[in-house]
Amino acid sequence: MIELKNVRFSVPADESNDGGGPTKTIINDVSFTFEKGKFYGITGPNGGGKTTLSKLIMGINPVTSGSITLDGQDISDMSITDRARAGIAYGFQNSARFKGTTFRDLLSIAAGTDDEAALTRIIAGLGICSLDFLDKPVDTKLSGGEIKKIELATIIARNPKVAIYDEPDTGIDLWTIGPMVEVLKREQKEKGTTTIVVSHNRTFLEAADEILMIRDGRIAYSGGLDGALPILEDLSACSFGDLCEGETDVRCFR
Amino acid sequence: MLDALDKELLKTVADLESIPKGAYNIRKNGKLLGREVSANIDIESNAEGTGIVITIKPGTKDESVHIPVILSQAGLHDVVYNTFIVGEDADVTIIAGCGIHCGGSAPEGHEGIHEFRIGRNARLKYVEKHVALGEGKGKRTLNPTTNVYLDENAYAEMELSQLGGVDEARRVNTAELGPGSAILITERVMTDGDQRAESKNELILQGEDSKANIVSRSVVKGDSKQDFFVNLEARAKCYGHIECDAIIMDNGISETVPALKALHPDAALTHEASIGKIANDQLMKLMSLGLTYDESVNRIIQGFLK
Ligand SMILES: Nc1ncnc2c1ncn2[C@@H]1O[C@H](COP(=O)(O)OP(=O)(O)OP(=O)(O)O)[C@@H](O)[C@H]1O
Ligand SMILES: [Mg+2]
């Protein structure tokens, strides 16, 4: 169980000043409890704060104020490493690319073993059948879909208590999204993993037990998908009219 | 004949646990320690007595030669001139390397000047490792030179690495490529403390359809400094690529100067270079998989230099 209490994250409004001066609040007083073993879907407009909130839980962003607890233990001041060891895992929206580090390297760090049979079992469970894939360098040559599969595999290999996937579906072909949802569901059911998926994809949101909508750094909605749909449709209306049409005679044709 | 120290040096530079099988030439403190030739590979001292000539018969397949040099005598500066003649259609591996053990405060150094003549359709893999060990404060210098001449359709893969302990290194690599020939040079250098390493590379793509690819990976720690120069000159329709990456840590300084010269309208030359600290997102990823900050740095560097 992960509990967020009045979590706030702000950065200096002006990049050049650190400490003092005006600040910009990105996550604004968020309180929420993620129950053990449930499947959450986080959605909301671009720039709303989904990634920032996920990184606060992983410890990549430090909380400015408020607290985060994992199974009753305050982890607000814990390092990324310690949170990872305590059972939190985060799959990045934009995965790191390395030079010379292979998928096998990442996977064996994640799984804590370099035993070939163990690694093969993990990737087979993810429908990655080609063993050659293990020795692929995790560099800029990987396609968008390949890097996402690698990111997902490293999270599952950690066998975490809380797994956060930040847009695992971007770049994944439509035919793979269904099986990917199945994999996350299976992990949730078999291992009781608290699963949090940030996504704009309906297939993921339909799989969730509860939807969280983050907008302007706040939780704008939480509950079932049905209640979220009207808000989501509202959001899909264009809000860039002024910007796009400008002041001269450009007109929107939507 | 080999003491514990020799064994340790041999293991680090040539992955040798003991005297190797096949042809070899082991040089210790400026003198010959052991030599073995094979039916296809001949090793002889050169006429001047300043080094060896290794002659590989045409058509020799899947054989290897080990030619490690070890140094543990204070104050010695050893210079050798070696020539490698690889016959037509041969396919061989040469494992060279120099290990210095410095126990005192006197300087020790080695200069290996290597010339390779690679015959038509022959393939050579050359692996060279440089290390220096020991507690001594004496300056350890390694100044290797490799000059490679590739005949028609010949292929050479050169893996050159210097992974620690060497205070000063000045490397020179030159290559001249005949028609249809190809060379791949990979250099990996890690420096720390006050160490200095310089690498100068001159590659001339002389023949039509020749290919050259030079890759440099350097890790510059402490107050050390590394400079890397490449000159890729195309004189025919050919392909050339330079890739240099440097990771800077602490107060390390790195200078990379890649130069491309196309003297033929059908030359295709490219280069990529990057110098910088370890990327933050790489560290975050490894830490989020449970490694500490230091462990993450090590893993990233290990992979980078692999
Ligand atoms: N360290 C930071 N410094 C300054 N601004 C930041 C920082 N981190 C995030 N932001 C800003 O906070 C806002 C929220 O960003 P975040 O990446 O969390 O959004 P998101 O909901 O994940 O969006 P998307 O759907 O596009 O992935 C953005 O406007 C972003 O530019
Ligand atoms: Mg995001």
Side-chain angles (χ1 to χ4, degrees):
Chain A
M1 183 182 87
I2 285 257
E3 196 178 358
L4 311 181
K5 267 192 220 147
N6 308 106
V7 169
R8 188 183 292 271
F9 177 67
S10 9
V11 292
D14 172 4
E15 296 267 331
S16 58
N17 89 48
D18 34 26
T23 58
K24 175 179 149 200
T25 298
I26 295 170
I27 293 297
N28 196 351
D29 200 28
V30 167
S31 296
F32 191 79
T33 302
F34 295 95
E35 305 289 348
K36 183 175 167 21
K38 270 179 78 172
F39 195 124
Y40 295 87
I42 300 188
T43 191
N46 295 128
K50 303 178 295 293
T51 295
T52 308
L53 187 71
S54 311
K55 288 186 171 176
L56 282 164
I57 298 174
M58 188 70 239
I60 298 167
N61 292 330
V63 291
T64 307
S65 63
S67 71
I68 302 175
T69 55
L70 170 67
D71 297 334
Q73 187 197 2
D74 191 336
I75 59 164
S76 316
D77 294 325
M78 267 164 67
S79 67
I80 304 174
T81 309
D82 289 338
R83 292 190 207 201
R85 291 177 181 174
I88 301 177
Y90 170 63
F92 288 74
Q93 179 174 3
N94 295 309
S95 306
R97 309 280 185 148
F98 297 80
K99 282 210 160 116
T101 295
T102 61
F103 177 34
R104 182 191 296 277
D105 295 331
L106 292 185
L107 201 63
S108 47
I109 295 170
T113 171
D114 49 18
D115 179 58
E116 180 92 20
L119 300 184
T120 311
R121 222 175 303 123
I122 295 169
I123 62 168
L126 295 175
I128 304 172
C129 303
S130 156
L131 285 182
D132 297 348
F133 200 67
L134 270 179
D135 291 309
K136 275 215 173 192
V138 184
D139 60 14
T140 49
K141 292 192 190 88
L142 286 178
S143 76
E146 287 171 329
I147 189 90
K148 281 287 166 190
K149 283 181 191 161
I150 289 175
E151 194 70 41
L152 185 99
T154 57
I155 303 313
I156 289 188
R158 298 251 348 124
N159 195 9
K161 285 186 197 163
V162 180
I164 310 168
Y165 300 93
D166 199 346
E167 306 206 15
D169 49 313
T170 37
I172 296 285
D173 52 77
L174 284 173
W175 298 271
T176 314
I177 289 182
M180 195 181 242
V181 172
E182 290 306 311
V183 167
L184 299 196
K185 273 279 183 197
R186 193 177 67 212
E187 290 291 310
Q188 178 211 1
K189 292 255 148 56
E190 288 176 6
K191 298 175 182 158
T193 315
T194 308
T195 306
I196 304 171
V197 181
V198 176
S199 179
H200 303 286
N201 190 300
R202 202 171 165 132
T203 320
F204 272 103
L205 300 181
E206 280 168 354
D209 301 314
E210 191 171 343
I211 302 292
L212 237 69
M213 186 161 350
I214 311 276
R215 186 168 49 181
D216 297 330
R218 294 174 187 271
I219 299 181
Y221 171 84
S222 66
L225 181 58
D226 291 348
L229 285 177
I231 316 178
L232 285 173
E233 264 149 34
D234 194 32
L235 281 176
S236 67
C238 181
S239 58
F240 293 109
D242 292 348
L243 213 68
C244 175
E245 291 181 30
E247 284 160 7
T248 43
D249 48 356
V250 187
R251 200 157 52 84
C252 179
F253 290 98
R254 264 164 61 119
Chain B
M1 164 169 107
L2 290 175
D3 63 24
L5 196 62
D6 295 343
K7 283 187 179 161
E8 189 187 350
L9 287 172
L10 280 178
K11 176 139 179 49
T12 29
V13 298
D15 288 322
L16 287 177
E17 297 285 355
S18 61
I19 297 290
K21 288 195 176 59
Y24 67 84
N25 188 90
I26 304 176
R27 183 179 173 93
K28 181 184 172 186
N29 295 332
K31 294 188 190 70
L32 181 65
L33 184 71
R35 176 182 295 172
E36 188 65 59
V37 299
S38 76
N40 295 321
I41 302 178
D42 187 44
I43 306 177
E44 281 181 348
S45 298
N46 62 17
E48 300 80 15
T50 54
I52 51 176
V53 180
I54 297 181
T55 311
I56 294 159
K57 274 196 192 151
T60 305
K61 297 281 182 212
D62 300 323
E63 285 198 45
S64 63
V65 196
H66 284 84
I67 50 157
V69 170
I70 52 184
L71 228 67
S72 54
Q73 181 184 331
L76 185 69
H77 192 85
D78 185 27
V79 184
V80 286
Y81 296 83
N82 296 338
T83 307
F84 302 83
I85 299 164
V86 183
E88 288 183 13
D89 300 307
D91 186 348
V92 290
T93 301
I94 298 174
I95 315 231
C98 179
I100 297 185
H101 184 277
C102 186
S105 55
E108 287 179 37
H110 177 76
E111 257 166 75
I113 294 119
H114 290 174
E115 182 177 311
F116 298 86
R117 302 203 159 267
I118 307 174
R120 289 168 50 144
N121 300 319
R123 296 175 71 85
L124 166 71
K125 178 164 181 174
Y126 178 71
V127 182
E128 183 187 273
K129 276 191 207 166
H130 282 168
V131 282
L133 311 168
E135 299 302 312
K137 290 277 169 281
K139 184 171 173 182
R140 311 104 190 255
T141 312
L142 282 170
N143 296 334
T145 299
T146 55
N147 301 318
V148 187
Y149 301 90
L150 291 135
D151 210 333
E152 209 177 327
N153 294 324
Y155 173 81
E157 191 180 329
M158 331 255 327
E159 271 186 32
L160 315 168
S161 57
Q162 176 190 315
L163 299 178
V166 181
D167 294 310
E168 196 177 286
R170 285 174 197 281
R171 168 181 288 286
V172 177
N173 297 322
T174 73
E176 219 180 287
L177 286 88
S181 70
I183 191 166
L184 165 62
I185 301 179
T186 310
E187 226 188 284
R188 302 177 177 92
V189 181
M190 181 152 79
T191 51
D192 201 348
D194 290 317
Q195 296 167 355
R196 297 284 176 270
E198 180 192 271
S199 171
K200 287 191 171 159
N201 300 271
E202 299 276 340
L203 281 75
I204 298 175
L205 292 143
Q206 185 76 51
E208 191 166 316
D209 293 322
S210 54
K211 289 193 186 74
N213 190 355
I214 176 157
V215 178
S216 153
R217 294 275 170 94
S218 46
V219 175
V220 197
K221 297 187 184 176
D223 296 314
S224 69
K225 183 170 194 296
Q226 286 191 33
D227 297 328
F228 186 79
F229 305 96
V230 198
N231 232 329
L232 205 56
E233 186 173 312
R235 298 186 182 164
K237 168 178 172 283
C238 63
Y239 168 85
H241 182 64
I242 306 173
E243 192 183 315
C244 357
D245 290 293
I247 292 182
I248 309 256
M249 296 169 74
D250 316 314
N251 300 311
I253 296 178
S254 167
E255 237 177 79
T256 297
V257 188
L260 303 176
K261 287 184 193 160
L263 307 182
H264 190 280
D266 292 324
L269 303 177
T270 49
H271 81 77
E272 288 169 52
S274 75
I275 303 182
K277 289 203 161 48
I278 294 182
N280 219 24
D281 61 342
Q282 298 178 3
L283 289 169
M284 297 292 162
K285 175 65 189 168
L286 297 195
M287 284 156 71
S288 73
L289 296 180
L291 297 189
T292 63
Y293 177 85
D294 288 342
E295 286 167 349
S296 306
V297 168
N298 282 341
R299 289 300 295 245
I300 292 165
I301 286 179
Q302 261 176 37
F304 182 73
L305 292 175
K306 191 167 56 191

